[in-house]
């Protein structure tokens, strides 16, 4: 069965600092990988996704993620964090078999940004 | 930009009562989903729906749950007899389903509180 681990429950960074949120997955084949962000009172917004090809994926709001098959990782990065990036971030893996393509999520990482 | 909408934003009910959570997926989308997130836990897949029938469901989605697309726009989740452990945030999602790699778009969620 597929699974996703986000080892950091809570991360605090200063505004302008760089950010890396970790994600490790377990899946029997090459996975579909996603990062979603959830602001308070909002739904889950897609930041970026990886299906195949270039392992460095660019997303919205200046985020990027790198798929590393050897490490089973899909870490999210941003070179300079803004106060508006404070939110909860979820990594997810999508099923490749079956047509539903349902997502399996990690536990999430809560990001706090200090002024 | 089209959005998935959900009503109500917060529902409070007594244990044993029936609840219906409503979602309006994006209009040209064909695949619909329900996920839930118990406070402090992961977002979990419940069910997917395509062509007026369930395509996949998780072990959480037992006989107490049902889904329906009563008209051309709404997608509902019914919990027949709510339990305390049904208290959670319920997210609806939809995707176009034109390719196997298209994105799921999530609604803002309905917070269900069972007393």
């Amino acid at each position: 069965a597929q699974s996703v681990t986000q080892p950091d429950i809570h991360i605090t960074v200063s505004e302008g600092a760089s950010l890396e949120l970790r994600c490790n997955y377990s899946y029997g084949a090459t996975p579909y990988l996603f990062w979603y962000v959830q602001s308070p009172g909002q739904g889950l917004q897609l930041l970026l996704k990886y299906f195949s090809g270039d392992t460095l994926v660019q997303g919205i709001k200046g985020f990027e993620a790198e798929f590393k098959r050897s490490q089973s990782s899909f870490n999210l990065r941003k070179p300079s964090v803004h106060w508006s990036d404070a939110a909860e971030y979820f990594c997810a893996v999508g099923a490749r078999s079956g047509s539903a393509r349902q997502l399996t999520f990690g536990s999430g990482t809560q990001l706090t940004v200090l002024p | 930009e089209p959005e998935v909408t959900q009503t109500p934003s917060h529902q409070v009910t007594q244990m044993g009562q029936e609840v219906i959570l409503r979602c309006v997926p994006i209009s040209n989308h064909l695949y619909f989903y329900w996920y839930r997130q118990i406070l402090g836990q992961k977002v979990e897949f419940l069910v997917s729906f395509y062509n007026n029938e369930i395509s996949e469901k998780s072990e959480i989605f037992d006989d107490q749950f049902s889904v329906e697309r009563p008209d051309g726009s709404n997608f509902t989740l019914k919990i027949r007899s709510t339990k305390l452990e049904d208290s959670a945030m319920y997210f609806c999602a939809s995707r176009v389903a034109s390719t196997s790699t298209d994105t799921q778009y999530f609604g803002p969620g309905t917070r269900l509180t069972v007393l």
Side-chain angles (χ1 to χ4, degrees):
Chain A
Q2 59 203 51
S3 65
V4 178
T5 302
Q6 293 180 249
D8 303 306
I9 297 171
H10 194 178
I11 283 184
T12 300
V13 298
S14 297
E15 191 169 17
S18 64
L19 172 70
E20 182 168 30
L21 303 182
R22 296 183 290 165
C23 172
N24 293 97
Y25 67 88
S26 173
Y27 191 73
T30 301
Y32 294 142
L33 294 163
F34 305 82
W35 275 99
Y36 282 85
V37 61
Q38 184 182 27
S39 299
Q42 304 294 312
L44 296 162
Q45 181 185 22
L46 180 70
L47 285 175
L48 47 78
K49 59 187 179 184
Y50 171 79
F51 291 132
S52 64
D54 193 344
T55 56
L56 185 61
V57 180
Q58 301 297 321
I60 62 170
K61 304 185 181 187
F63 285 93
E64 67 178 26
E66 186 170 11
F67 169 57
K68 292 185 177 180
R69 186 192 305 274
S70 61
Q71 299 176 18
S72 298
S73 70
F74 189 57
N75 294 348
L76 183 71
R77 300 192 295 247
K78 186 169 185 178
S80 178
V81 170
H82 188 262
W83 64 266
S84 60
D85 293 324
E88 187 150 26
Y89 291 79
F90 293 93
C91 182
V93 60
R96 276 186 181 258
S97 60
S99 60
R101 303 284 187 263
Q102 68 268 29
L103 300 177
T104 299
F105 285 86
S107 301
T109 297
Q110 183 70 46
L111 175 65
T112 298
V113 180
L114 300 177
Chain B
E1 185 176 321
E3 293 180 334
V4 177
T5 59
Q6 292 185 242
T7 54
S9 57
H10 192 183
Q11 172 100 41
V12 181
T13 190
Q14 296 290 324
M15 190 170 57
Q17 295 296 304
E18 175 185 286
V19 294
I20 297 176
L21 309 183
R22 301 181 193 280
C23 169
V24 178
I26 296 172
S27 63
N28 64 333
H29 285 192
L30 300 178
Y31 242 110
F32 314 118
Y33 304 81
W34 284 102
Y35 292 81
R36 79 172 185 191
Q37 184 182 29
I38 296 171
L39 188 64
Q41 298 187 23
K42 298 183 180 187
V43 176
E44 302 171 290
F45 167 73
L46 292 178
V47 66
S48 61
F49 191 85
Y50 175 74
N51 201 24
N52 283 318
E53 60 183 23
I54 291 173
S55 60
E56 300 276 352
K57 61 180 181 178
S58 72
E59 61 274 9
I60 303 169
F61 193 86
D62 62 21
D63 292 344
Q64 292 297 313
F65 292 91
S66 62
V67 289
E68 192 178 32
R69 187 153 164 84
D71 53 43
S73 59
N74 288 283
F75 178 53
T76 62
L77 174 69
K78 182 191 293 186
I79 309 176
R80 196 186 342 244
S81 177
T82 50
K83 308 185 193 67
L84 295 176
E85 55 265 36
D86 293 327
S87 295
M89 180 74 89
Y90 288 81
F91 294 104
C92 175
S94 69
R95 70 179 178 96
V96 172
S98 58
T99 71
S100 61
T101 59
D102 49 61
T103 300
Q104 290 182 35
Y105 292 87
F106 284 78
T110 292
R111 180 165 298 285
L112 176 64
T113 301
V114 182
L115 303 176

